[in-house]
Amino acid sequence: MDIRFEEVGYTYQQGTPFQSRALHDINLSIKGGSFTALVGHTGSGKSTVLQHLNALKKPTTGQVTIGDRVITNYSENKGLKTLRKRVGIVFQFPEAQLFEETVGKDIAFGPKNFGLSEEEAIERAKELLPLVGLDESFLERSPFDLSGGQMRRVAIAGVLAMNPEVLVLDEPTAGLDPQGRKDIMDMFYRLYKEQGLTIVLVTHQMDDVAEYADHMIVLEQGTVRREGNPRELFKEAGWLSSMQLGVPSTVRFAHELEEKLQWTFDPLPLTTDELAAQMVEKLGNKVGDDR
Amino acid sequence: MMEKLIFGRYIPGQSFIHRLDPRAKLMGAIWFIIIIFLANNWLTYVALTVFVLTAVKLSGINSRFFINGIKPLIWLILFTVILQVLFTSGQTIWFRMGPIVISQEGMLNGVFIFMRFVLIIFMSTILTLTTMPLSLTDAIEYLLRPLNAIKVPVHEIALMLSIALRFVPTLMDETEKIMNAQRARGIDFGEGNIYQQMKSIVPLLIPLFVSSFNRAEELATAMEARGYKGGEGRTKYRQLNWQQNDTVVMIAFVVLSILLISLRT
């Protein structure tokens, strides 16, 4: 399912003395089956864009096309449920949304709202727990007895339980320990690879963008500055820092090697594995020269 | 939804009224609400209106804010006014139908009630728009201090008040976030019959309470860690400072009161 923004503008508190413009003429498209990273520094409008992806907000100007639904300022609120079932959003610190007595019921809450029976929904919850790294014993526990990381996993399972086609993630790993981050990101990547989910990731972690994303959108002051392949965009470290963004640690290290040792990397290495492979190749040549 | 609410917001500024001592403003606003009940004829209402409009002008705030402050209450005001108009009996009767009587006195009463509402809202809006919530609690603490003598825990009340005020916007944000998260999970807030609407509140209310409990615990720990032990022996960072202008404002209120008493019939 594709999502397309055409000339989208959004103004908060329109018509009051406190009104403020958050988005200006945004044009972007998120292709079905892609892993898109949405980056930009704080206050660039990422979260506002995110809330347009499943019509939690309606654009003040322009239009958003989600699959075959067109959302404009005048769209009615009817039938948005089916849309929200197809686009699942994991909000920042999603553990704050847990409320049921048991983990099982909380995960089943979404599917039940979208018309599944209680038993089917619980069944779905049971299937999902291993996927997010918890076991069936959690099913009957209260979500408020769990640790922060476990609560996060339950909350994510609650969104996955709706079987969305597009999964929107707003800093899903914020506040987690390194292992937890890796587990969660790997899980999302597996869903993307194995089940063909479209993923939109909002993050400040450029390492995650480099490692997982195949498309990157840079926002600044409520407009799209650049859109493209992460490998291309990360080449311009200077431009990124003018957007108050950084480059992944691999790219930074590669740039330092280019500067100090006059190496050239082609293509630009994005993951540690790529970097290592290219270094081995170059060092191999060098050893050969010396001999 | 809640973002339309103007009442209770602070707008930074440097006007005459912004710079007044919060105690003067608070006392003035309360004083005004008391003396507004002295007014009972045209002249007195004109005097009050002139006074309020001067204050609005002095506050340097766009009058749009004040109009917006009335909007959420307009139905309540109109309801009261219409009841007054319909059910006040009087000498000069214009229209009668069963118990419903429209008389000249009733009309006048309705207009006066309307004026009362508007003037009180304007005055309190001036107070909240020009005074930081924290200054306001400082003023409340100061003015309540005599109650210490009869064992009222004034410091604790003021502390709770300032914490509560501080967390109103935070909780509003949180509410909005949780609402969005639950809407994304298929909840339609404000749709369906009353039972369904009540039920849809649960997934909003429980997380809000849970996060408030957590927040309270964290805040208490943080306060203790920073050496908070209660009101006794504390010094103040924000000093209230009464100036000449504040005295002038108080005198203006005295003059207004005398004027009202002499003008009323």
Side-chain angles (χ1 to χ4, degrees), chain A:
Chain A
M1 185 164 75
D2 293 355
I3 298 178
R4 218 166 55 243
F5 280 52
E6 280 156 278
E7 300 291 319
V8 170
Y10 187 79
T11 310
Y12 279 96
Q13 311 198 9
Q14 189 162 38
T16 75
F18 297 98
Q19 73 176 24
S20 68
R21 192 93 193 256
L23 302 181
H24 305 264
D25 305 329
I26 289 218
N27 288 295
L28 59 85
S29 62
I30 292 162
K31 293 226 160 46
S34 71
F35 196 126
T36 304
L38 199 60
V39 299
H41 75 99
T42 320
S44 56
K46 297 184 303 269
S47 299
T48 314
V49 167
L50 184 140
Q51 290 178 40
H52 280 87
L53 294 175
N54 71 351
L56 285 175
K57 285 199 177 355
K58 285 183 283 186
T60 336
T61 56
Q63 62 172 49
V64 180
T65 315
I66 308 170
D68 43 20
R69 271 294 289 266
V70 176
I71 307 284
T72 65
N73 196 10
Y74 309 103
S75 304
E76 294 211 21
N77 286 325
K78 288 209 180 93
L80 291 182
K81 248 185 171 176
T82 45
L83 200 73
R84 297 202 176 126
K85 186 195 169 307
R86 297 176 71 188
V87 184
I89 300 193
V90 177
F91 283 91
Q92 232 174 75
F93 300 107
E95 52 273 27
Q97 75 194 32
L98 302 177
F99 73 98
E100 284 278 16
E101 301 140 60
T102 66
V103 165
K105 276 190 187 172
D106 204 286
I107 298 177
F109 177 69
K112 256 168 53 194
N113 283 330
F114 294 120
L116 242 63
S117 73
E118 177 98 33
E119 293 78 42
E120 285 172 305
I122 293 280
E123 201 50 47
R124 173 110 27 107
K126 218 184 267 177
E127 288 163 23
L128 272 163
L129 277 172
L131 190 71
V132 294
L134 301 173
D135 58 59
E136 230 173 81
S137 69
F138 281 89
L139 215 54
E140 292 303 319
R141 289 175 65 179
S142 159
F144 299 110
D145 292 339
L146 307 181
S147 76
Q150 289 168 335
M151 281 169 85
R152 174 87 50 105
R153 286 155 196 264
V154 172
I156 290 173
V159 175
L160 289 178
M162 304 185 306
N163 260 346
E165 295 163 45
V166 180
L167 187 60
V168 183
L169 309 164
D170 191 359
E171 301 197 41
T173 59
L176 290 184
D177 58 63
Q179 189 56 46
R181 289 175 108 103
K182 197 170 157 17
D183 286 352
I184 297 243
M185 282 314 297
D186 283 346
M187 176 195 80
F188 289 134
Y189 194 66
R190 253 196 342 269
L191 287 171
Y192 157 71
K193 278 279 170 212
E194 289 166 13
Q195 302 187 15
L197 236 70
T198 311
I199 292 195
V200 181
L201 172 70
V202 174
T203 186
H204 290 289
Q205 303 292 326
M206 292 300 157
D207 286 10
D208 286 348
V209 177
E211 176 110 27
Y212 302 107
D214 57 18
H215 190 68
M216 178 169 161
I217 299 169
V218 182
L219 285 177
E220 201 223 4
Q221 292 183 342
T223 50
V224 175
R225 296 286 170 184
R226 285 291 260 291
E227 190 177 352
N229 190 303
R231 211 181 288 276
E232 297 299 316
L233 291 180
F234 282 135
K235 275 184 187 156
E236 300 168 62
W239 177 78
L240 278 168
S241 76
S242 77
M243 297 282 109
Q244 303 188 42
L245 296 170
V247 292
S249 42
T250 49
V251 174
R252 200 166 50 238
F253 188 60
H255 281 319
E256 270 177 43
L257 287 174
E258 283 180 340
E259 213 170 273
K260 297 237 165 76
L261 301 174
Q262 267 72 54
W263 288 5
T264 46
F265 286 97
D266 192 45
L268 192 68
L270 287 186
T271 61
T272 4
D273 288 345
E274 285 176 24
L275 179 68
Q278 288 198 36
M279 283 176 71
V280 164
E281 196 184 310
K282 286 197 181 7
L283 286 170
N285 292 343
K286 214 163 170 120
V287 172
D289 291 348
D290 287 349
R291 214 169 269 162

Side-chain angles (χ1 to χ4, degrees), chain B residues 144-164:
Chain B
L144 287 182
R145 220 151 56 178
L147 294 182
N148 259 333
I150 52 165
K151 298 253 160 28
V152 177
V154 172
H155 168 77
E156 279 73 13
I157 292 175
L159 178 77
M160 283 194 283
L161 211 58
S162 57
I163 291 177

Side-chain angles (χ1 to χ4, degrees), chain B residues 238-258:
Chain B
R238 292 184 306 273
Q239 302 282 347
L240 296 171
N241 140 34
W242 189 273
Q243 282 167 327
Q244 207 184 345
N245 278 343
D246 301 306
T247 319
V248 171
V249 168
M250 289 294 107
I251 292 172
F253 272 103
V254 173
V255 171
L256 178 70
S257 313
I258 295 171

Side-chain angles (χ1 to χ4, degrees), chain B residues 122-138:
Chain B
F122 269 36
M123 209 54 175
S124 41
T125 310
I126 293 179
L127 175 72
T128 54
L129 287 182
T130 62
T131 320
M132 273 186 290
L134 276 179
S135 314
L136 215 51
T137 45
D138 285 344

